[in-house]
Amino acid sequence: MAKLSLQRISKHFAQTHILKDIDLDIDSGEFLVLIGPSGCGKSTLLRIVAGLDHADEGQVILDGRSINRLPPRERNMALVFQDYALYPHKTVYDNLAFGLSIRGTPKSEIEQKVQAAAELLQLTNLLQRKPAALSGGQRQRVAIGRALVREAQLFLFDEPLSNLDAKLRTEMRMEIKRLHQRLGKTMIYVTHDQVEAMTLADRIAVINHGRIEQLGTPADIYQSPATTFVAGFMGSPAMNLLDLPLQWSTNGQSAFIAGQTVPVGHLETTPEQAITLGIRPEHLYIDPGHLNGQAAITLNAVIELIEPLGAETIATLRLEQPTANLETFTVQARLPGHQAVVNGQKLQLHVAHANLHWFDSEKGTRLMTRQAGNKDQAA
């Protein structure tokens, strides 16, 4: 069992706040991913959990007990770093066994644990090699194996795949996912790669400027982003965010976008509020047949750039607004790879009303839906 609770964790260097009042509960056996841009504080938070750094305020609670004052070696946590941190003069076997050896573990037990980890990670035939003779993926498996033999309560990964090429990252991502499924251990994984976050996590904490902007399942984060930051950060290509000018009906129940009526009476908003409209690239269709009869708006656009990716094509388009003096907006659309499009082509993009995301432009937060009894939920 390893249930972790972070309570009002704050950290600052000089006058710069790296972390601000982080509250986070991680269940036993959960795979939690911390994601955010460089410098957002995610690695600092992991180091505080590991005991390699200390919070200026707040508590780290492991299984109901504060561990703030415990040194790293007494926290029973295993760390895997992006630079592997292997001993270059030792064999794979000795790298795996080193942590156990300095703790005085009997040789027979070391042998059993090293062999078990090597078999699990497909390192058995590499035990007598030194790190210089290994590929990047093999070195990372050794680093993970060294963590495994400790039989720790909690596994901490700090961007472990960032030094690998794309193919190896995919392979190692699958290995880590299988490892979690087999072991059922609590794991915290830091990354800036949204593909890693979406494919590995039970839950994702999106961090920005030292605060958690949203915590939820990968589906929650992607389908219902809580802020424009999350909407723009999670997704490749990112969600299109448009500060389109809106005209409201006199009763406030609908608005006009590009001259077309869209119902807005379900939103907690007023005509005076500036609104940002969000549209995922995969929800912009050229063929209206993909809408399956759903109510939609149509946007006139011109293709400016095409990025063929084989199975799909990413198109960057300029929207042609019905009024010439309006600001120019560009969007990206994810199109089927077989869709024949060319630069300069004029076409119409269709998006269902149900796939529109609405945000408060000033606060950057998701607009809420009006509910009976004054109860709200995300729109």
Side-chain angles (χ1 to χ4, degrees):
M1 178 179 178
K3 185 172 182 178
L4 188 72
S5 180
L6 306 180
Q7 300 177 357
R8 301 188 65 82
I9 298 294
S10 293
K11 179 71 177 178
H12 58 82
F13 296 115
Q15 301 302 313
T16 303
H17 276 79
I18 306 302
L19 297 169
K20 306 171 187 176
D21 292 331
I22 296 288
D23 286 313
L24 182 60
D25 291 322
I26 304 162
D27 291 333
S28 180
E30 183 176 16
F31 198 124
L32 180 87
V33 172
L34 305 177
I35 189 170
S38 298
C40 71
K42 56 189 184 294
S43 290
T44 300
L45 185 60
L46 195 77
R47 290 176 61 84
I48 288 172
V49 172
L52 300 176
D53 208 339
H54 298 285
D56 295 318
E57 298 174 24
Q59 294 288 320
V60 180
I61 308 294
L62 181 62
D63 291 336
R65 181 172 68 111
S66 174
I67 59 171
N68 278 35
R69 297 185 179 183
L70 285 183
R73 65 179 179 276
E74 295 181 20
R75 296 193 179 198
N76 197 18
M77 299 179 185
L79 284 75
V80 180
F81 299 100
Q82 69 182 77
D83 61 0
Y84 318 134
L86 302 179
Y87 296 104
H89 60 288
K90 293 182 181 291
T91 64
V92 169
Y93 185 99
D94 290 336
N95 267 282
L96 294 174
F98 182 75
L100 298 174
S101 298
I102 62 174
R103 290 178 177 83
T105 306
K107 288 185 178 180
S108 59
E109 186 178 341
I110 291 176
E111 173 71 16
Q112 185 272 325
K113 290 183 176 181
V114 168
Q115 292 295 342
E119 183 177 353
L120 183 64
L121 294 169
Q122 302 176 38
L123 295 170
T124 303
N125 296 331
L126 306 175
L127 288 175
Q128 298 311 312
R129 293 191 188 181
K130 292 184 178 179
L134 304 177
S135 68
Q138 289 168 339
R139 292 179 194 176
Q140 193 54 276
R141 288 208 298 273
V142 176
I144 293 172
R146 189 172 54 190
L148 276 181
V149 298
R150 288 193 52 197
E151 297 182 349
Q153 285 182 286
L154 192 64
F155 285 78
L156 309 177
F157 297 86
D158 190 4
E159 304 206 43
L161 309 184
S162 60
N163 289 336
L164 305 181
D165 61 37
K167 183 174 184 296
L168 278 176
R169 279 202 306 273
T170 300
E171 293 174 357
M172 285 304 304
R173 192 170 68 234
M174 293 171 62
E175 289 293 333
I176 292 172
K177 193 172 184 72
R178 290 192 188 104
L179 190 64
H180 180 252
Q181 290 172 345
R182 291 175 186 175
L183 299 178
K185 297 282 190 177
T186 307
M187 296 184 178
I188 305 176
Y189 189 103
V190 165
T191 184
H192 62 270
D193 187 318
Q194 59 184 275
V195 175
E196 289 179 21
M198 294 292 291
T199 56
L200 288 173
D202 295 322
R203 286 191 303 160
I204 298 171
V206 184
I207 300 177
N208 185 34
H209 296 307
R211 296 185 184 276
I212 296 178
E213 292 245 343
Q214 188 171 0
L215 174 67
T217 67
D220 291 337
I221 298 291
Y222 190 80
Q223 295 170 10
S224 300
T227 66
T228 51
F229 171 80
V230 176
F233 189 79
M234 299 299 293
S236 181
M239 181 183 285
N240 299 296
L241 296 171
L242 307 173
D243 293 319
L244 289 172
L246 302 180
Q247 286 183 298
W248 294 76
S249 64
T250 53
N251 62 9
Q253 295 301 300
S254 59
F256 301 97
I257 299 176
Q260 299 158 81
T261 303
V262 179
V264 294
H266 63 292
L267 298 174
E268 286 284 0
T269 186
T270 64
E272 295 76 26
Q273 187 171 27
I275 288 178
T276 296
L277 192 66
I279 307 172
R280 287 285 180 199
E282 61 269 25
H283 291 150
L284 287 166
Y285 297 112
I286 295 178
D287 180 1
H290 289 298
L291 297 170
N292 297 317
Q294 297 181 83
I297 60 172
T298 299
L299 302 171
N300 296 317
V302 179
I303 295 180
E304 293 191 331
L305 182 67
I306 296 172
E307 299 175 79
L309 300 176
E312 62 183 16
T313 297
I314 306 301
T316 300
L317 307 100
R318 183 182 73 256
L319 298 185
E320 291 190 323
Q321 298 296 331
T323 305
N325 63 352
L326 294 182
E327 181 181 350
T328 298
F329 294 97
T330 60
V331 297
Q332 287 190 301
R334 190 192 299 273
L335 307 176
H338 59 77
Q339 188 95 50
V341 290
V342 296
N343 286 335
Q345 180 179 348
K346 292 188 176 184
L347 44 75
Q348 290 185 321
L349 298 172
H350 309 276
V351 56
H353 293 172
N355 290 327
L356 297 175
H357 300 258
W358 304 84
F359 300 92
D360 181 320
S361 297
E362 183 178 346
K363 297 178 181 177
T365 54
R366 189 177 187 85
L367 292 181
M368 309 302 284
T369 301
R370 299 182 195 275
Q371 295 290 324
N374 297 322
K375 293 181 180 178
D376 295 339
Q377 68 183 34

